[in-house]
Amino acid sequence: MGSGSYSTNDSGFYDASVRSIRLNKAGIDYDSMDRGDIFKQRSLNNAMDPKNAVLRESRDSIEHPESVAIIIALDVTGSMGSIPHFLIKKGLPTLMGNIIQRGIKDPQILFLAIGDHECDRAPLQVGQFESSDELLDKWLTTVYLEGGGGGNDGESYLLSWYFASKHTSIDCFEKRNQKGFLFTIGDEPTLKSIPEKSIQDIMGIGQFDKQNDATYLLDNARKTYNVYHLHLKEGHNGRSQQVMDGWKQLMGDDLLVIDKKEDISKIISERIIHDLNKKVEEVNFKKEDTKIIL
Amino acid sequence: MSNSAVIGLGFGDEGKGLVTNWLCLQNSNSFVTRFCGGHQAGHTVYKDNKKHVFSNFGSGTLQDNPTYWSKFCTIDPIGIKNEFLELKNNFSKLNPKLYINAKCPVVTPYDKIRNRSLESNNKHGSVGVGFGTTLQREEDHYSLLFEDLYFSNIVAIKLKLIRKYYNYDEENYFNLLLDFFEACEYITNLSNIQIVSDNYFSYNTSNVIFESSQGLMLDQNNGFFPHVTRSNVGINQARKVAFYINKNIEDVYYVTRAYQTRHGNGPMTNENLSYNIKEDSNETNVHNKYQGNFRKTILDLDLLKYVLMKEQSDTIKNKYLVITCLDHIENQYKFTLNKKIVECTNKKDFIEKISNILQFNNVYISESPYSESIIQII
């Protein structure tokens, strides 16, 4: 996966018109389409079923020699279903444009859709790492907007940390010691732990850890990814101070609060550029567990 | 009053117990949460001319403040039993309350033996009570958690397997095991000790004091490896526990002595400089068989700046500096910065210079082992 390039013209520069020309040819106009017409999935698509996703790979290639793995995990419960809709219309081209124009030539994005492992049928949906706009559009529109989420204490954002640490393999880190990026986006708190049984139900056969607390999963994901959470300060939950405080305790400075979903592309691309431009020593600083006994 | 954290800036022994107790004096509704380390801490608190060194209870216990032991901390049943009895014996009116998370790893006699035999060889500065060995064993899946102690036959089987894990002979440890089982039975039947889940305190409105276990220079990510503890002891770790109990930490108290101290033979700075520090007859931190000598040198602000850099976070609303043991350095008001000695004219100058360099707008000092004497200077 990860072949094709994102709306760049022949000289490799980002060109927004490339995507619109392709969409025009195919007779697609996302701007005028309703959410229901774009997101036609009425159940979990097999291709996005985590049971089929043993390992998602972000690889360097001749076409993309310096891949940067980026995972974007979207809360798709309730009103948050509007985020994929926004991304497909405007957000994604802006995001990719910003990243590529600032000199990060080979971003590879993997979409995850997050629900609620306590009450949804599809609490986790998984795309592939892709570089081409066509395939990214495809994965994004294949998401099943279950519209679930329950009246419990949050959504399963922690599933994305689990998936990133256990089911992805990324060249940027493995070959070049450059951490990937993982952004979760939503307006609710994360559930604090996930039972082994739920992970088994979601993932099918795979690796299960006895300890599936949010902090443990987050620490594991942080070994190979720069992990951020974008809290969308919209709606009842979004404006709740308690929800934001909870995220602040968990994420520390890696919590990014945004007022409106239109800011998503800007914030994500700025964060990536900021981190990649950091001094090499700083990026290579690994928070590894020490093995010494004291 | 809001939820606060008490964190040490040095190699331990800064006065975290003193400050925790002082915060409890100001708010009787607080409960103290231990968020890192475990039973290897030794935090000294004085009350009514008597002193107590806290290892298994929070340092607010003498003020009758309950303690929450989070799941990141180890527990030692024998230690809890002994400390409980000691507290009841020395402070008869006291009713120490301890809420232990069901998922706390339990230290067994085998972990202590292993720790001590390692430490006699390595001299990394361990207290020798089996903290690091317990965590290593947990990682190797030979797990024993607090909730398990309520099933004594399960404990017996698990202990057998743990003994095999360490390759120890059965005969040699009969008495130790007897003590361990007795202590387990004692603490699981004691009404002062309760087993709780993660969200037990979620809807409790009283405020929380997050008490750190070791100094930041012993943090496994900050300190001089291998002379570090197997734990994170700073604000990020405190926030993890805050997350589970739905609390928001707003105030952070960073504590340092007016000079530098450390145990064992790990590196410390300024040891070549001559410096007079009063001998304190009340000192908790004397020579320890496993930790080695207690060393003191002139305060090094470069080290403090370094750990504060590691702690830097936009999420801290108010931060305070507490300088303790000022009475120990009469007429010796100096510290080092950029490897040079900075002489101060008097105590006031000393405190002001330190707070400017470390960028604190609020500074408290302590000049006695009693929490009541802590006063705000800046």
Side-chain angles (χ1 to χ4, degrees):
Chain A
M1 284 298 153
S3 65
S5 60
Y6 196 89
S7 300
T8 43
N9 59 23
D10 296 340
S11 23
F13 288 107
Y14 175 71
D15 186 350
S17 61
V18 177
R19 181 180 187 247
S20 43
I21 291 167
R22 173 178 64 79
L23 290 176
N24 270 342
K25 269 189 198 159
I28 300 171
D29 179 11
Y30 285 132
D31 277 344
S32 64
M33 285 163 81
D34 284 342
R35 196 162 116 182
D37 294 333
I38 301 174
F39 299 93
K40 290 189 181 129
Q41 214 55 53
R42 293 295 168 260
S43 63
L44 173 62
N45 187 306
N46 258 342
M48 292 198 89
D49 189 339
K51 287 195 184 70
N52 304 326
V54 178
L55 194 66
R56 290 299 193 233
E57 299 165 275
S58 163
R59 297 288 177 226
D60 292 345
S61 61
I62 298 166
E63 204 181 352
H64 298 295
E66 289 197 30
S67 63
V68 177
I70 302 166
I71 299 178
I72 299 181
L74 305 165
D75 175 353
V76 293
T77 62
S79 64
M80 288 296 105
S82 63
I83 292 181
H85 192 202
F86 158 73
L87 283 178
I88 199 78
K89 284 206 294 193
K90 281 202 199 75
L92 193 54
T94 319
L95 171 65
M96 291 301 267
N98 283 350
I99 297 174
I100 293 168
Q101 269 172 340
R102 297 283 288 276
I104 317 295
K105 294 272 181 269
D106 309 319
Q108 298 191 342
I109 295 189
L110 162 71
F111 281 114
L112 301 178
I114 300 293
D116 184 331
H117 70 259
E118 288 180 1
C119 45
D120 283 357
R121 273 177 294 167
L124 179 67
Q125 302 176 61
V126 182
Q128 298 260 18
F129 282 106
E130 303 290 4
S131 316
S132 88
D133 60 342
E134 195 172 351
L135 289 167
L136 278 169
D137 286 356
K138 182 194 140 240
W139 286 115
L140 198 50
T141 52
T142 309
V143 170
Y144 161 46
L145 298 180
E146 187 172 352
N152 53 357
D153 290 329
E155 311 297 353
S156 308
Y157 302 99
L158 73 179
L159 274 173
S160 62
W161 305 326
Y162 170 84
F163 189 85
S165 61
K166 294 250 195 256
H167 295 274
T168 67
S169 171
I170 56 175
D171 274 356
C172 58
F173 186 76
E174 286 154 27
K175 287 190 179 162
R176 284 172 278 111
N177 213 7
Q178 163 61 56
K179 283 185 185 179
F181 292 86
L182 167 50
F183 295 90
T184 46
I185 307 174
D187 68 343
E188 286 216 42
T190 180
L191 292 169
K192 290 188 166 67
S193 68
I194 178 163
E196 218 174 327
K197 174 79 173 62
S198 303
I199 292 209
Q200 207 164 350
D201 288 348
I202 296 163
M203 299 302 308
I205 300 159
Q207 310 173 44
F208 311 114
D209 233 309
K210 247 176 80 184
Q211 202 184 348
N212 287 311
D213 293 338
T215 50
Y216 174 78
L217 296 175
L218 176 59
D219 284 348
N220 267 352
R222 277 177 166 160
K223 287 177 185 165
T224 41
Y225 288 86
N226 294 310
V227 183
Y228 295 98
H229 178 70
L230 265 67
H231 176 79
L232 186 54
K233 216 173 158 184
E234 273 179 357
H236 173 68
N237 284 322
R239 278 191 292 271
S240 153
Q241 188 60 41
Q242 207 187 338
V243 174
M244 275 183 278
D245 283 346
W247 275 111
K248 195 167 78 181
Q249 300 309 310
L250 183 62
M251 304 298 296
D253 294 340
D254 298 337
L255 168 66
L256 311 167
V257 177
I258 51 173
D259 291 326
K260 49 186 195 304
K261 56 179 168 290
E262 286 73 18
D263 293 343
I264 291 173
S265 324
K266 187 169 147 261
I267 297 281
I268 291 183
S269 53
E270 275 175 4
R271 225 350 87 169
I272 293 173
I273 306 287
H274 172 266
D275 285 359
L276 288 178
N277 289 340
K278 270 189 192 170
K279 282 183 206 146
V280 180
E281 309 91 82
E282 235 179 306
V283 174
N284 288 348
F285 175 74
K286 275 182 277 177
K287 288 178 185 167
E288 273 180 0
D289 298 339
T290 52
K291 282 287 171 203
I292 198 72
I293 294 164
L294 200 74
Chain B
M1 214 173 139
S2 42
N3 304 317
S4 45
V6 179
I7 292 168
L9 288 173
F11 297 96
D13 314 310
E14 301 94 346
K16 293 180 287 289
L18 179 92
V19 176
T20 304
N21 183 57
W22 169 66
L23 289 168
C24 288
L25 275 172
Q26 296 167 60
N27 192 335
S28 56
N29 287 325
S30 336
F31 66 88
V32 175
T33 292
R34 282 287 310 276
F35 62 87
C36 62
H39 63 292
Q40 87 280 40
H43 294 173
T44 312
V45 177
Y46 287 80
K47 193 189 176 190
D48 308 334
N49 288 322
K50 283 184 273 187
K51 107 175 185 183
H52 183 82
V53 183
F54 285 105
S55 294
N56 303 283
F57 286 79
S59 298
T61 305
L62 295 190
Q63 311 302 336
D64 259 330
N65 294 78
T67 304
Y68 169 55
W69 213 258
S70 75
K71 64 184 168 191
F72 299 99
C73 305
T74 54
I75 59 152
D76 172 15
I78 297 173
I80 295 174
K81 181 189 170 191
N82 291 344
E83 191 168 338
F84 178 77
L85 293 172
E86 192 187 331
L87 281 164
K88 288 298 274 182
N89 197 25
N90 293 344
F91 303 87
S92 53
K93 284 180 194 157
L94 217 56
N95 189 23
K97 280 218 165 68
L98 179 60
Y99 298 86
I100 304 176
N101 191 298
K103 306 287 179 200
C104 286
V106 177
V107 178
T108 70
Y110 300 124
D111 304 311
K112 294 187 191 177
I113 296 164
R114 177 72 179 155
N115 182 192
R116 285 171 195 179
S117 60
L118 283 176
E119 185 58 19
S120 322
N121 298 330
N122 298 338
K123 293 258 183 271
H124 288 161
S126 167
V127 195
V129 293
F131 170 69
T133 41
T134 302
L135 293 190
Q136 179 65 55
R137 169 174 59 72
E138 285 291 324
E139 225 165 72
D140 295 343
H141 308 290
Y142 287 84
S143 168
L144 183 67
L145 303 179
F146 181 55
E147 60 189 2
D148 301 342
L149 299 189
Y150 290 82
F151 301 87
S152 57
N153 45 349
I154 301 279
V155 177
I157 297 169
K158 285 198 166 198
L159 273 177
K160 219 176 221 175
L161 295 168
I162 291 169
R163 180 176 57 75
K164 283 184 186 157
Y165 162 79
Y166 284 125
N167 242 330
Y168 287 140
D169 279 343
E170 198 160 3
E171 305 91 59
N172 301 342
Y173 305 105
F174 184 71
N175 286 337
L176 283 175
L177 284 185
L178 211 60
D179 286 352
F180 180 76
F181 277 111
E182 266 178 28
C184 291
E185 202 188 326
Y186 185 81
I187 65 168
T188 48
N189 285 316
L190 199 64
S191 64
N192 290 53
I193 295 171
Q194 281 190 34
I195 181 168
V196 294
S197 65
D198 260 343
N199 53 7
Y200 183 79
F201 287 107
S202 289
Y203 303 103
N204 189 326
T205 49
S206 67
N207 71 296
V208 190
I209 298 159
F210 293 83
E211 180 184 6
S212 181
S213 54
Q214 275 79 30
L216 284 168
M217 282 304 296
L218 293 180
D219 183 296
Q220 60 182 0
N221 295 133
N222 302 345
F224 300 127
F225 185 86
H227 307 278
V228 294
T229 189
R230 200 183 167 127
S231 176
N232 295 106
V233 300
I235 185 65
N236 284 329
Q237 178 64 24
R239 275 200 302 240
K240 276 187 189 174
V241 175
F243 162 75
Y244 284 110
I245 59 174
N246 291 338
K247 300 288 176 194
N248 191 27
I249 302 174
E250 292 180 333
D251 302 338
V252 184
Y253 292 86
Y254 287 108
V255 191
T256 176
R257 284 198 190 196
Y259 49 92
Q260 193 184 167
T261 68
R262 112 155 274 172
H263 268 115
N265 57 358
M268 77 189 290
T269 57
N270 294 348
E271 278 195 291
N272 52 334
L273 303 173
S274 73
Y275 191 47
N276 285 327
I277 298 157
K278 260 204 252 172
E279 282 305 320
D280 182 2
S281 56
N282 296 319
E283 186 65 71
T284 304
N285 304 295
V286 285
H287 182 84
N288 170 311
K289 192 174 160 196
Y290 305 104
Q291 274 188 301
N293 283 326
F294 186 56
R295 297 139 67 196
K296 305 171 186 175
T297 70
I298 181 168
L299 192 64
D300 184 348
L301 287 206
D302 294 318
L303 287 188
L304 301 195
K305 277 171 78 175
Y306 165 76
V307 291
L308 284 167
M309 174 274 288
K310 295 273 189 181
E311 283 283 284
Q312 177 54 41
S313 167
D314 297 338
T315 58
I316 301 174
K317 202 167 153 195
N318 310 306
K319 57 172 192 170
Y320 307 93
L321 180 67
V322 189
I323 305 174
T324 61
C325 299
L326 264 167
D327 51 325
H328 295 181
I329 56 156
E330 228 172 314
N331 302 323
Q332 289 277 322
Y333 296 113
K334 56 187 177 185
F335 53 81
T336 62
L337 182 66
N338 300 328
K339 293 187 213 159
K340 286 195 190 83
I341 298 180
V342 178
E343 299 274 358
C344 307
T345 49
N346 54 30
K347 188 168 74 186
K348 190 165 169 281
D349 188 37
F350 180 72
I351 296 162
E352 279 174 0
K353 280 204 171 100
I354 291 175
S355 55
N356 279 337
I357 292 162
L358 301 181
Q359 297 174 349
F360 279 90
N361 298 324
N362 293 288
V363 181
Y364 292 83
I365 61 161
S366 153
E367 294 182 284
S368 90
Y370 286 90
S371 298
E372 287 84 348
S373 77
I374 294 182
I375 47 167
Q376 183 158 20
I377 288 284
I378 297 170

